[in-house]
Amino acid sequence: MRYWDIAQQLYPSSRGEIAATHWRRLVRHAWTLDLWVDISLIKPDVAHFWLDHSNIWGAPAALLAGVPSVILSTRNVSPVNFPYLYSPYMHPWYVWLSRCPRVHYINNSHAGAENYAEWMGVDKSAFEVVLNGVDLSHLHDATDTEWL
């Protein structure tokens, strides 16, 4: 199967040429191909990736493998705020992935979600906010017996 055909399957629309161009660029990354094979063998219902590089390498692999739901956890703010981590290929990939109905974005803060949404040029409703933390309200102080 040619990469253009794969891109058309991932994102069937009149913008298939754009998708094919991005796919040809990314497929050069051995990480994406390795992940594609691994994910295809496992056949998960959900693939969850954390942070920018793994999001960009993993999401296309998961989509290509047919994973029904792909969750991308984003950094606290967009990667342009971290010049030592940012790569120019990230923006077009994040935008392209935002158009895929199987891809879902989460962030750990409202400010971070808004920053990513603005950078990507998408509505902030594209992000679900999952705050860091643990609800400890159901816990009680340990008794002397429990300490043993």
Side-chain angles (χ1 to χ4, degrees), residues 26 32 35 39 47 49 53-63 70 72:
L26 188 67
T32 299
L35 285 168
I39 294 168
F49 300 96
H53 290 95
S54 62
N55 287 347
I56 300 300
W57 302 327
L63 291 170
V70 179
L72 303 182

Side-chain angles (χ1 to χ4, degrees), residues 54-127:
S54 62
N55 287 347
I56 300 300
W57 302 327
L63 291 170
L64 184 60
V67 177
S69 184
V70 179
I71 301 170
L72 303 182
S73 293
T74 53
R75 188 174 300 283
N76 54 357
V77 290
S78 71
V80 293
N81 294 286
F82 303 95
Y84 54 94
L85 296 173
Y86 179 69
S87 293
Y89 69 83
M90 291 176 173
H91 183 262
W93 270 102
Y94 267 115
V95 172
W96 183 80
L97 289 166
S98 74
R99 296 178 183 143
C100 297
R102 293 185 284 155
V103 174
H104 311 279
Y105 288 98
I106 64 173
N107 194 288
N108 64 353
S109 72
H110 294 282
E114 289 173 12
N115 182 264
Y116 262 93
E118 182 180 331
W119 173 66
M120 292 167 55
V122 300
D123 191 86
K124 65 182 178 181
S125 65
F127 284 80

Side-chain angles (χ1 to χ4, degrees), residues 2 13 36 38 42 50 67 73 84 94 96 129 137 142 148:
R2 294 181 355 224
S13 77
W36 175 24
D38 293 342
I42 296 169
W50 284 265
V67 177
S73 293
Y84 54 94
Y94 267 115
W96 183 80
V129 174
S137 63
L148 298 177

Side-chain angles (χ1 to χ4, degrees), residues 3-23 60 63-64 92-103 122:
Y3 297 131
W4 189 87
D5 297 328
I6 293 167
Q8 283 288 53
Q9 286 182 9
L10 291 175
Y11 190 62
S13 77
S14 60
R15 292 179 285 229
E17 287 294 332
I18 295 169
T21 300
H22 289 313
W23 182 254
L63 291 170
L64 184 60
W93 270 102
Y94 267 115
V95 172
W96 183 80
L97 289 166
S98 74
R99 296 178 183 143
C100 297
R102 293 185 284 155
V103 174
V122 300

